Amino acid sequence: MITNDQALKFYHSRTWRQARLLALVRDNYQCQRCKQRGIVKEGNIVHHIVPLKEDWDRRTELDNLETICADCHNQEHPEKAANYSNKSKLRHLKRERSRADVFSFTGNDEL
């Protein structure tokens, strides 16, 4: 049985980053679960089909990895849903802040 520390160390390793990137590129950064339902949706989460806790040896095997979107990952792991939801909210706030610095000018119809 692997510990949370082992899993955390793995998810911060170069080995995981490389395997993750290979899966994202292979899947064209598209959610594979949505794609099965005929929906094209961006995916940026690489999910272990067989969880690490069940088979540590398959942690970097490409046939055990799939790109999925946050919604599909939240369905798979409801206990992690709040975490991804909060990250999404933070990204949205950052985008809103960056848009606040953009000014748009239009012509004056009265002139």
Side-chain angles (χ1 to χ4, degrees):
M1 180 88 160
I2 68 158
T3 66
N4 286 339
D5 287 341
Q6 285 174 305
L8 189 61
K9 185 176 178 180
F10 167 70
Y11 282 123
H12 286 93
S13 72
R14 177 180 291 186
T15 303
W16 169 244
R17 287 192 302 270
Q18 290 172 340
R20 181 181 182 278
L21 181 60
L22 286 172
L24 288 167
V25 169
R26 178 201 61 201
D27 296 340
N28 202 26
Y29 289 82
Q30 294 178 349
C31 177
Q32 299 304 294
R33 303 252 175 114
C34 289
K35 192 174 181 178
Q36 289 173 350
R37 297 189 317 267
I39 301 167
V40 177
K41 188 173 179 183
E42 179 184 5
N44 58 9
I45 298 169
V46 175
H47 173 72
H48 285 93
I49 299 165
V50 176
L52 292 179
K53 292 178 181 179
E54 288 182 27
D55 193 346
W56 177 254
D57 294 334
R58 296 193 65 198
R59 66 190 177 277
T60 58
E61 289 180 10
L62 278 178
D63 65 345
N64 188 42
L65 302 175
E66 66 179 340
T67 302
I68 60 177
C69 64
D71 291 335
C72 288
H73 197 258
N74 290 343
Q75 289 175 2
E76 186 72 26
H77 298 286
E79 73 280 5
K80 296 179 182 179
N83 187 20
Y84 284 106
S85 178
N86 289 339
K87 285 182 183 179
S88 177
K89 288 176 187 174
L90 288 174
R91 280 194 296 272
H92 178 70
L93 288 173
K94 287 179 184 177
R95 266 191 245 118
E96 289 301 315
R97 272 192 232 128
S98 68
R99 289 181 186 154
D101 296 336
V102 176
F103 296 95
S104 176
F105 297 97
T106 58
N108 185 343
D109 293 337
E110 295 177 4
L111 296 176

